[in-house]
Amino acid sequence: MTTKPRTAARALSRIEAAAPPVSSNREWLSEAIGKIEADFNRSADTHLIRLPLPHHPGVTLYLKDESSHPTGSLKHRLARSLFLYALCNEWIGPQTTIVEASSGSTAVSEAYFARMLGLRFIAVVPASTAAPKLDAILFHGGEIHAVDDPRTVYDVAHRLAAETDGHYLDQFTYAERATDWRGNNNIAESIFAQMAQEEHPVPAWVVCGAGTGGTSATVGRYLRYQRHATRLCVADPEHSVFHRHFADPAVTVLPDRCASRIEGIGRPRLEPSFAPGVIDRMIAVGDAESIGAMRALSQVLGRRAGGSTGTNLIACLTLADELVAAGQTGSIVTLLCDGGDRYACTYYDDAWLAERGIAWAPVAERIARVLSD
């Protein structure tokens, strides 16, 4: 028996029959994106706090207060971007379980958005994560999966996503690409809009930390795209791999787990979202310095700030010293990453700090003098 040759029309019909139909989730996706965008429209921009430095004439420090987001931290921006990115890629549907590896704040924000969309959310967190952060994840409807070794959070998150037929948001991979670095209301664009009426509207430096690397990648790319003279400094805990990789690209992992006590920044391995090429400088900061600076700043502000804000402040004051020494003036902008109430049982507990041998008090006294008239 002979077989008739397949005609182009028959082949095309075969292809069309095999092609999947237009996504049955499209209506749900549209509604989900609309909910997230509506939430953004209901939110005001975060404040930019002016903090004069009386012992640094001609230099002014500004704090971008990210603690005022609905979930209380800078990670609210990242979580929104990660959800929109995953939705627009159709990685998330109406029955998808959302999984994330996080030291706490990102998971808090992601739990908020997952509940908004009616989705189950599981946070894989280090067992050392501050209890108030865990309480916040639970408050927003999330579930906690704690691991003893922080280096295992990635593998565990992958496994849980597979077991639940879910989606691992993977902030450490997608943070640098989920946010539009050219503008579109990102944090860098917001900073420059708010600085427009200041004495030095184009900052000499913007300072931020690196947890995923997403914020530093967004800021660094935006500075170059807008052709600003502003330089980007990343403040990194001393027990982190990022500043080591910046100095020597061959270093991509620490020989042991990351010993830093500063939650939210610093990692034991080089994360895919870290973009060293857009960073002008990195400053390594000790834990005692970060916590001492955080405590001193909180006295000046009249409210508690988190540990990573103290890390940023140490780097800012180093840069301010250098500007004065060089006879230069200008502004420095950094981030108040989150509030300190989440650390009441850790960074603001003197006994907790003493048990861990963190000598923060002398640093706090020194920074208090720098910030005082």
Side-chain angles (χ1 to χ4, degrees):
M1 183 177 70
T2 59
T3 302
K4 292 182 180 180
R6 183 184 298 173
T7 64
R10 287 182 64 196
L12 181 59
S13 66
R14 228 17 119 74
I15 294 171
E16 289 174 343
V22 175
S23 172
S24 59
N25 292 335
R26 184 65 66 84
E27 184 176 349
W28 181 86
L29 284 167
S30 179
E31 291 178 357
I33 293 168
K35 288 178 181 178
I36 293 175
E37 291 294 274
D39 179 76
F40 173 77
N41 287 337
R42 291 193 296 270
S43 301
D45 198 0
T46 58
H47 291 283
L48 192 65
I49 301 170
R50 185 175 184 271
L51 190 67
L53 299 176
H55 301 284
H56 296 79
V59 179
T60 305
L61 177 62
Y62 297 83
L63 307 174
K64 180 73 166 160
D65 184 7
E66 295 294 287
S67 71
S68 60
H69 283 294
T71 54
S73 82
L74 168 68
K75 299 300 185 179
H76 193 85
R77 295 179 187 269
L78 172 60
R80 181 195 297 122
S81 295
L82 288 170
F83 266 89
L84 290 174
Y85 190 73
L87 286 165
C88 291
N89 281 304
E90 294 209 32
W91 296 339
I92 296 176
Q95 305 301 321
T96 305
T97 295
I98 307 300
V99 182
E100 182 61 285
S102 169
S103 64
S105 288
T106 301
V108 173
S109 300
E110 289 173 344
Y112 170 90
F113 286 107
R115 185 171 67 174
M116 181 185 297
L117 303 184
L119 302 176
R120 181 187 181 193
F121 177 76
I122 304 173
V124 182
V125 303
S128 59
T129 300
K133 284 187 178 180
L134 302 181
D135 292 341
I137 294 170
L138 295 172
F139 173 80
H140 290 296
E143 302 170 31
I144 305 295
H145 187 104
V147 298
D148 292 327
D149 187 347
R151 294 172 296 182
T152 67
V153 294
Y154 320 95
D155 292 338
V156 173
H158 275 294
R159 175 175 60 79
L160 289 176
E163 291 175 354
T164 60
D165 194 24
H167 175 65
Y168 172 27
L169 282 173
D170 195 358
Q171 61 169 323
F172 298 107
T173 294
Y174 296 108
E176 58 87 17
R177 66 193 72 170
T179 301
D180 186 349
W181 47 267
R182 292 166 296 184
N184 193 22
N185 296 306
N186 70 36
I187 192 168
E189 184 178 56
S190 175
I191 287 171
F192 276 86
Q194 292 176 315
M195 287 291 295
Q197 303 301 317
E198 301 302 313
E199 182 180 4
H200 301 287
V202 177
W205 290 94
V206 171
V207 176
C208 66
T212 60
T215 300
S216 57
T218 297
V219 173
R221 290 166 179 162
Y222 181 85
L223 294 176
R224 284 152 180 79
Y225 180 66
Q226 296 293 335
R227 293 172 288 177
H228 290 306
T230 306
R231 289 174 289 175
L232 172 64
C233 175
V234 172
D236 198 36
E238 63 179 351
H239 300 294
S240 170
V241 74
F242 290 135
H243 65 272
R244 291 173 169 83
H245 176 77
F246 186 77
D248 179 1
V251 179
T252 59
V253 65
L254 297 179
D256 198 358
R257 69 174 66 184
C258 183
S260 173
R261 295 286 184 181
I262 307 304
E263 291 187 21
I265 56 173
R267 303 296 302 171
R269 73 168 197 181
L270 186 68
E271 303 296 353
S273 281
F274 183 65
V278 301
I279 297 170
D280 297 290
R281 182 171 175 184
M282 294 195 71
I283 294 177
V285 181
D287 291 349
E289 291 182 286
S290 294
I291 294 171
M294 170 204 76
R295 298 280 290 254
L297 178 63
S298 296
Q299 291 297 316
V300 172
L301 295 177
R303 57 189 175 93
R304 290 175 170 178
S308 57
T309 302
T311 310
N312 290 343
L313 179 58
I314 290 293
C316 288
L317 294 178
T318 299
L319 297 171
D321 287 342
E322 293 175 0
L323 287 175
V324 171
Q328 300 174 354
T329 60
S331 57
I332 300 172
V333 180
T334 193
L335 308 180
L336 198 164
C337 305
D338 61 358
D341 289 343
R342 292 176 176 176
Y343 310 101
C345 60
T346 55
Y347 305 153
Y348 288 93
D349 183 335
D350 293 355
W352 186 92
L353 295 170
E355 287 174 5
R356 287 153 183 80
I358 300 175
W360 61 274
V363 179
E365 293 174 5
R366 173 171 59 85
I367 301 301
R369 289 194 296 270
V370 171
L371 298 179
S372 65
D373 294 331

